[in-house]
């Protein structure tokens, strides 16, 4: 097995990008075909990601959910609560390590099949350093940038979610402000990193069905 789990066989191997490797040829591991859901906290990445993940051949992975599935007794669970409750990003190394461990486990369980599935990523990469760390793993085909020009609307959405989903990081205004600042300062530059030709801008103040239709139109044309 290669680091990416491809069998080291002597027959030609079909790769996720459609190419075929010659027998015995040393090939770098195939990258995961990926679509990024991008936007500020509250823009609706999770809502869209969950729906897209129900479509065959799409696999949704939200980094925040991976963190929330940790127990607070674990060291990383404690680190997560510490940073997220202040509206800050968890440091990059443990974040990427956890994410890789999680996706490897999903592959091993057969829930994510990179030869057939497109990964819908939400909440990762969240800064340029994370994008660099994932460069050898992700083949980013498209970025859906869910924009929201109305900060008040984002704040309202987050406060509603805090009640519904019992989320500590959405619980008070100070933390919400800090999360929005972190997004502007650290996450937004990821758009420049990938370059504008892969970015599709979608107004997230539209209702969820309209946002979904815009995303599906683009995916269906690809
Ligand atoms: P939202 O959907 O509101 O943007 P998430 O559920 O994605 O929020 O993330 C919640 C918190 O988890 C973040 O504020 C951050 O502390 C932590 N987190 C999630 N993803 C990452 C990441 N890729 N890098 C660092 N921290 C992260």
């Amino acid at each position: 097995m290669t680091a990416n789990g491809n069998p080291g066989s002597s027959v030609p191997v079909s790769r996720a990008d459609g190419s075929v490797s010659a027998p015995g040829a040393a090939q770098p591991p195939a990258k995961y075909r990926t679509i990024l859901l991008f936007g500020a906290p509250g823009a609706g990445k999770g809502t869209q990601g969950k729906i897209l993940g129900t479509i065959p051949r799409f696999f949704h992975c939200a980094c925040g959910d991976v963190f929330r599935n940790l127990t607070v007794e674990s060291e990383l669970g404690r680190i997560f609560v510490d940073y997220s409750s202040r509206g800050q990003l968890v440091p990059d190394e443990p974040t990427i390590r956890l994410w890789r461990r999680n996706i490897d486990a999903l592959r091993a369980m057969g829930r994510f099949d990179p030869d057939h599935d497109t990964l819908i990523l939400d909440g990762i990469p969240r800064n340029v350093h994370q994008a660099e760390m994932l460069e050898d793993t992700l083949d980013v085909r498209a970025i859906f940038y869910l924009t929201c020009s109305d900060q008040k609307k984002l704040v309202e959405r987050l406060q509603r979610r805090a009640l519904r989903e019992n989320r500590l990081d959405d619980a008070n205004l100070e933390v919400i402000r800090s999360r929005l600042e972190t997004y502007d300062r650290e996450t937004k530059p990821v758009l420049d990193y990938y370059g504008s030709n892969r970015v599709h801008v979608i107004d997230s103040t539209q209702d969820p069905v309209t946002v979904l239709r815009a995303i599906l139109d683009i995916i269906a044309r690809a």
Side-chain angles (χ1 to χ4, degrees):
M1 289 269 185
T2 66
N4 234 358
N6 293 330
S9 76
S10 59
V11 293
V13 177
S14 296
R15 295 157 63 77
D17 62 4
S19 63
V20 176
S21 67
Q27 286 283 347
K31 296 182 183 187
Y32 300 147
R33 193 172 42 248
T34 302
I35 289 174
L36 300 184
L37 293 174
F38 198 87
K45 305 181 297 289
T47 302
Q48 298 298 329
K50 277 187 207 116
I51 300 169
L52 295 170
T54 64
I55 303 173
R57 303 266 159 100
F58 288 92
F59 187 83
H60 174 229
C61 175
C63 193
D65 289 344
V66 178
F67 277 122
R68 278 184 288 276
N69 282 335
L70 295 169
T71 65
V72 279
E73 286 79 36
S74 68
E75 198 197 339
L76 193 50
R78 278 196 299 272
I79 295 174
F80 165 65
V81 171
D82 179 27
Y83 282 87
S84 63
S85 63
R86 287 183 281 130
Q88 293 176 7
L89 299 185
V90 178
D92 297 335
E93 274 71 20
T95 296
I96 299 296
R97 214 179 315 125
L98 174 72
W99 182 84
R100 284 192 199 280
R101 223 170 49 210
N102 182 66
I103 206 82
D104 287 349
L106 291 163
R107 287 185 56 167
M109 286 186 288
R111 286 183 48 202
F112 168 55
D113 172 4
D115 286 337
H116 299 105
D117 298 339
T118 297
L119 201 51
I120 307 280
L121 280 188
D122 149 9
I124 190 167
R126 226 174 171 103
N127 61 29
V128 169
H129 185 226
Q130 292 185 7
E132 288 166 352
M133 292 172 84
L134 291 170
E135 190 57 52
D136 62 350
T137 308
L138 306 180
D139 169 14
V140 177
R141 300 284 178 96
I143 301 167
F144 292 108
Y145 177 20
L146 308 184
T147 58
C148 180
S149 49
D150 184 356
Q151 274 235 356
K152 244 178 69 194
K153 201 157 188 164
L154 288 177
V155 173
E156 277 166 20
R157 284 183 183 177
L158 291 173
Q159 286 177 317
R160 260 202 314 272
R161 182 168 78 179
L163 293 175
R164 260 202 324 262
E165 298 178 18
N166 195 21
R167 283 199 38 177
L168 281 178
D169 52 345
D170 293 336
N172 76 61
L173 217 51
E174 203 186 322
V175 179
I176 290 178
R177 293 232 164 86
S178 160
R179 298 182 67 205
L180 293 172
E181 275 165 29
T182 301
Y183 167 74
D184 275 336
R185 194 178 56 246
E186 299 188 46
T187 307
K188 257 192 174 165
V190 171
L191 281 175
D192 288 334
Y193 174 84
Y194 286 113
S196 57
N197 54 346
R198 279 180 273 188
V199 177
H200 303 272
V201 179
I202 297 171
D203 176 4
S204 80
T205 60
Q206 303 175 101
D207 61 275
V209 169
T210 310
V211 173
L212 179 65
R213 187 173 59 191
I215 292 175
L216 290 176
D217 274 349
I218 297 161
I219 290 178
R221 271 191 268 123

